[in-house]
Amino acid sequence: MSAIAKVVAAMTVAVFALAGEAVAKPLAIVNAEIYPSPNAPQIHDGIVLVQDGKIVKVGTRSEVSVPRAARVIDAHGAVLTAGFWNSHVHIMPSDLMGAKTAKAAALEGGIQAMLTHWGFTTVFDLGSSTENTLALRKRIVSGEIAGPMILTCGDPFFPEGGTPIYVRQYLADHGWANEEVSTPEEAADRAVRQLDHGTDAVKIFAGAIVGGDIGVLPMRLDIAKAVVAEAHKRGKPAFAHPSNYAGINVAIDAGADILAHTTATENGSHDPYGWTPTLIARMRARNMALTPTMTLFEWEAKKIHQKPEIMAQTIKLITSEVKDFSAAGGEILFGTDVGYTDAYDTTEEYRLMSGALDWRQILASLTTAPASRFGYAAHKGRIAPGMDADLVLLDGDPANDPTAFARVRDTIRGGLVIWGTDR
């Protein structure tokens, strides 16, 4: 059994343990408008029946009977989808620190505010303290805390002299070790230690924003390759933070699998609006995916009181990049950079994404795309018999308004309501 499979099995056991005797009681979600997957037909007046953390039946009222003993959630007027993935978070807020010894209620409150309130049943942490994030995951796995499945890159890899300007004070305040790597050997050794310790991926800063005359410092290609290679030896993905065109080149040439952001700088041909077809083709040749993190650019602009017209130009740029990349067949994974930002509410991310993608593409970025990309398609990402009962109940229809993805009524993981009105 692979390391990831062992984690999943342990998590499943923990979710069942959290419910105690109630896990044997079926759950029936009735009167729902169901989107089983991004491309499947909608089921009107649908029922989803859950037993022991798995979906056992899906269909209309005439097709599925509700056991008398079942706990029933009446979803009249609501939309049901598979549980959401956020493929770019950071376990960095103060209320998630000290996870080994912090009070469970405090940690769960932080998780709810940042993640489960917004429908996230699985998240990928793209840079945090390896020890703290694994401790938090362990407490969720044990059933002590209700939360999402957490996958993590652990500590990120910065170029030598390339600790990003915007996290220097945070790292100093929290006593983090130096995350910079100066040789391929040093980088590979740390990647091995982290992956062997239980992390699920690596993240390189292919382009690190250091400010001053340098602006963005690219990682040496040999170092980037060394980190990525260690992940790939274990069948695990490599994320890359690009920052600019040079950073994207490092990511592509190093063999990274996912770009952690789009970019808001010129594309190497001095075209201010979007990535060139040639660049996108190179990314597609590597089968790279993208987490756009579009709200991040607004969040950063507001922090420095950027002029509205400049921010509008930035949004136009990143919207064209996401749209062009997707139109070329590039895979989009939903991600917000939350935990680094305090923009917990996902409404604006959906609004911005809808300028580049339709609602079904956004749903795919939240469900089927990450489940497939990260090796969970056999049991996550769709509403179908045999799948994990990771579900989101929405007070609104994203087919009419994509920001309805943010209006979460219930977040359900393994058949248990971990956040919402029906908990």
Side-chain angles (χ1 to χ4, degrees):
M1 183 181 288
S2 70
I4 287 181
K6 290 178 181 177
V7 168
V8 172
M11 287 178 174
T12 302
V13 169
V15 168
F16 294 164
L18 187 65
E21 293 180 1
V23 79
K25 190 174 184 178
L27 169 68
I29 303 170
V30 304
N31 299 324
E33 297 298 307
I34 303 172
Y35 292 117
S37 70
N39 297 314
Q42 182 178 1
I43 299 173
H44 299 285
D45 193 18
I47 295 176
V48 172
L49 189 62
V50 174
Q51 180 74 55
D52 296 339
K54 295 286 185 179
I55 297 168
V56 293
K57 290 184 180 179
V58 181
T60 64
R61 180 178 294 275
S62 63
E63 295 170 330
V64 180
S65 59
V66 177
R68 181 174 296 180
R71 180 196 173 193
V72 175
I73 293 177
D74 188 347
H76 179 72
V79 166
L80 189 70
T81 75
F84 295 166
W85 291 61
N86 189 329
S87 298
H88 189 149
V89 309
H90 293 279
I91 307 299
M92 291 172 62
S94 58
D95 52 8
L96 297 181
M97 292 293 101
K100 188 174 288 187
T101 58
K103 291 183 178 179
L107 292 171
E108 188 168 309
I111 289 169
Q112 288 177 344
M114 188 170 93
L115 301 172
T116 53
H117 181 139
W118 309 103
F120 299 119
T121 57
T122 307
V123 298
F124 220 128
D125 163 60
L126 298 199
S128 65
S129 161
T130 299
E131 293 295 334
N132 187 72
T133 300
L134 292 180
L136 179 62
R137 180 164 78 182
K138 183 177 180 180
R139 293 181 74 176
I140 293 172
V141 168
S142 75
E144 182 186 3
I145 296 170
M149 183 175 88
I150 298 176
L151 304 173
T152 184
C153 296
D155 291 74
F157 293 78
F158 301 142
E160 185 176 17
T163 300
I165 191 169
Y166 48 82
V167 295
R168 290 173 189 167
Q169 191 60 51
Y170 176 92
L171 299 182
D173 290 346
H174 289 82
W176 281 23
N178 184 1
E179 307 284 8
E180 297 176 13
V181 283
S182 56
T183 68
E185 294 76 18
E186 176 192 359
D189 285 348
R190 176 149 74 86
V192 168
R193 289 196 302 274
Q194 290 182 195
L195 291 163
D196 286 351
H197 196 44
T199 59
D200 307 285
V202 297
K203 181 185 178 184
I204 60 168
F205 275 67
I209 299 174
V210 295
D213 294 335
I214 296 174
V216 176
L217 178 68
M219 179 174 277
R220 274 174 41 190
L221 183 57
D222 58 345
I223 293 175
K225 284 183 173 181
V227 177
V228 172
E230 292 302 332
H232 287 175
K233 284 178 186 177
R234 293 160 176 76
K236 297 186 178 183
F239 293 80
H241 177 113
S243 294
N244 63 2
Y245 190 80
I248 295 176
N249 279 331
V250 171
I252 293 171
D253 292 340
D257 305 288
I258 304 105
L259 283 185
H261 304 279
T262 187
T263 58
T265 58
E266 55 86 17
N267 61 22
S269 299
H270 306 290
D271 176 0
Y273 295 113
W275 292 336
T276 63
T278 300
L279 178 64
I280 291 174
R282 290 178 59 220
M283 288 190 269
R284 291 289 298 116
R286 291 284 194 177
N287 192 32
M288 295 182 83
L290 168 68
T291 60
T293 65
M294 297 176 78
T295 307
L296 168 70
F297 295 90
E298 283 190 341
W299 188 83
E300 293 283 13
K302 290 173 183 176
K303 229 177 30 169
I304 62 173
H305 306 290
Q306 193 175 73
K307 292 180 179 179
E309 59 270 24
I310 296 176
M311 184 166 70
Q313 185 180 30
T314 298
I315 296 303
K316 182 177 180 180
L317 169 67
I318 63 175
T319 299
S320 72
E321 291 170 350
V322 175
K323 186 174 183 178
D324 292 347
F325 182 74
S326 176
E331 187 172 64
I332 305 295
L333 309 175
F334 184 86
T336 58
D337 212 353
V338 68
Y340 164 65
T341 80
D342 59 4
Y344 290 3
D345 188 332
T346 53
T347 303
E348 182 65 0
E349 188 71 19
Y350 296 124
R351 187 189 73 79
L352 292 173
M353 290 180 77
S354 68
L357 307 169
D358 66 31
W359 75 273
R360 289 186 182 276
Q361 291 172 309
I362 296 172
L363 180 57
S365 78
L366 286 160
T367 57
T368 52
S372 176
R373 169 68 59 163
F374 300 123
Y376 292 87
H379 55 98
K380 290 184 183 292
R382 297 180 294 116
I383 300 178
M387 303 295 282
D388 291 352
D390 291 357
L391 303 162
V392 179
L393 200 58
L394 302 172
D395 281 327
D397 191 341
N400 301 325
D401 174 10
T403 66
F405 283 121
R407 296 197 288 276
V408 175
R409 173 176 145 181
D410 289 321
T411 302
I412 300 167
R413 183 174 168 222
L416 300 176
V417 180
I418 60 173
W419 185 88
T421 59
D422 293 296
R423 190 176 183 192

